[in-house]
Amino acid sequence: MVREYYENGSASAVELACDKQCTVLDGRTWAGQLSMMKDSIVFIDEGNEFVMSDEFAQTIQNTDNYYVIVTREGIPSLLYSVEEIYERILKCRYEKGDPNGQPIRQSRHIRPL
């Protein structure tokens, strides 16, 4: 959907509203594409085999991007945290805390898949 938005604009029927640059990473030229992405939210769709490589895992560690990887497979070379992702969504929704006045805590539970 992000790619559709950038390729077709309003004709895509997709509305993208974000304070950060959103982009898509895919294909055999992923490393070159990634080298041009700075301070972005990078979406990677299922079927991009490069996400399973150690090269990809090492490369993204040295960037300032946020990655959204859509896959049903485990990626053993990457760490992730379901709680942290969930809490970041909450933090965006309720910047000063949850609707009941409770502050959002930041999770530090990183688990390999």
Side-chain angles (χ1 to χ4, degrees), residues 44 48-63 67-71 73-81 110-113:
I44 305 170
N48 287 289
E49 294 298 321
F50 63 83
V51 298
M52 303 300 180
S53 71
D54 290 336
E55 179 187 5
F56 174 72
Q58 291 170 351
T59 302
I60 67 171
Q61 303 258 341
N62 298 319
T63 68
Y67 296 88
V68 179
I69 303 171
V70 179
T71 183
E73 301 297 322
I75 307 174
S77 57
L78 294 178
L79 299 175
Y80 76 99
S81 170
I110 308 293
R111 301 178 256 177
L113 188 62

Side-chain angles (χ1 to χ4, degrees), residues 86 90-91 93-104:
Y86 180 70
L90 285 177
K91 188 172 182 179
R93 187 176 283 162
Y94 309 108
E95 289 184 14
K96 295 181 182 175
D98 74 19
N100 299 320
Q102 298 298 316
I104 303 298

Side-chain angles (χ1 to χ4, degrees), residues 83-91 104-107:
E83 290 87 1
E84 187 169 347
I85 293 168
Y86 180 70
E87 288 172 5
R88 286 187 188 273
I89 291 168
L90 285 177
K91 188 172 182 179
I104 303 298
R105 69 177 174 81
Q106 188 132 18
S107 177

